[in-house]
Amino acid sequence: MNCRSLATGSSRAAARAGAAGPLAEAARRQEVLQDQEKVATRQAALTDRELDTEVRKPADAARYRAEQEAEARRIALVKEAGAAAERARLTGEGEKAQRAALADAVRIEGDAEAAAIAARGAAEADAFERYGDAAVLQMLVEVLPQVVGKAAEPLAAVDKLTVISTD
């Protein structure tokens, strides 16, 4: 019986040694996935900064410029309408001219707002066209921690590993 327990002990040691390889490989793969996740996160952040610099900020500046120009035109038209209304009041056509001037001011303001919205939409469309892969990468980076966690769950639940060999 003593020889048998020695053989059983050496079998156990061999089984543990055989199991160490797959466990070490799984741990190495886990580290590689974590490193890839860090790289993907950094790449997505860089892409987001590039998108902000190249697309969003110029689009916001164009929108702001269009709004300011529209506001200046509106103010000028309102002042002009006021002056025209005063002239018309003196000549008897005041109310009609003032309403027409105010209507023009509202139309110009609406046109400027539409131009700002169109500029923003064009910039976003360009961003999606230029950064389509980056957007997919960003979504992947957001989901990757969940995928890695689910992949690691079976290894975390392993308490003992028995290797049975036919040779």
Side-chain angles (χ1 to χ4, degrees):
M1 259 185 139
N2 197 8
C3 285
R4 195 178 231 176
S5 66
L6 265 178
T8 304
S10 66
S11 296
R12 287 183 190 156
R16 275 189 231 134
L23 288 175
E25 178 64 20
R28 188 189 63 73
R29 285 184 187 159
Q30 181 71 21
E31 288 175 16
V32 168
L33 284 173
Q34 289 172 344
D35 290 344
Q36 288 173 342
E37 179 182 358
K38 289 177 185 175
V39 169
T41 302
R42 289 182 192 147
Q43 183 63 36
L46 176 63
T47 301
D48 189 50
R49 285 193 303 270
E50 288 174 353
L51 178 64
D52 194 43
T53 301
E54 295 175 9
V55 177
R56 290 182 191 134
K57 285 185 181 178
D60 286 343
R63 179 186 51 81
Y64 179 76
R65 185 173 43 255
E67 288 173 354
Q68 293 303 309
E69 289 171 357
E71 180 65 15
R73 283 193 303 260
R74 185 188 68 77
I75 290 171
L77 285 174
V78 167
K79 285 182 180 181
E80 184 181 309
E86 182 60 27
R87 282 190 310 271
R89 184 184 64 79
L90 294 174
T91 62
E93 300 226 0
E95 179 121 0
K96 181 180 176 186
Q98 184 178 14
R99 288 180 190 230
L102 287 174
D104 284 343
V106 169
R107 181 188 49 78
I108 288 172
E109 187 175 359
D111 289 347
E113 188 174 333
I117 291 169
R120 177 83 178 194
E124 288 180 3
D126 181 53
F128 281 119
E129 183 177 310
R130 289 176 60 195
Y131 294 100
D133 291 341
V136 170
L137 180 62
Q138 177 65 32
M139 290 185 337
L140 178 64
V141 166
E142 291 172 1
V143 174
L144 193 58
Q146 295 170 358
V147 171
V148 170
K150 290 293 182 181
E153 280 180 8
L155 289 175
V158 172
D159 186 28
K160 287 185 177 181
L161 181 65
T162 303
V163 178
I164 300 174
S165 175
T166 57
D167 47 301

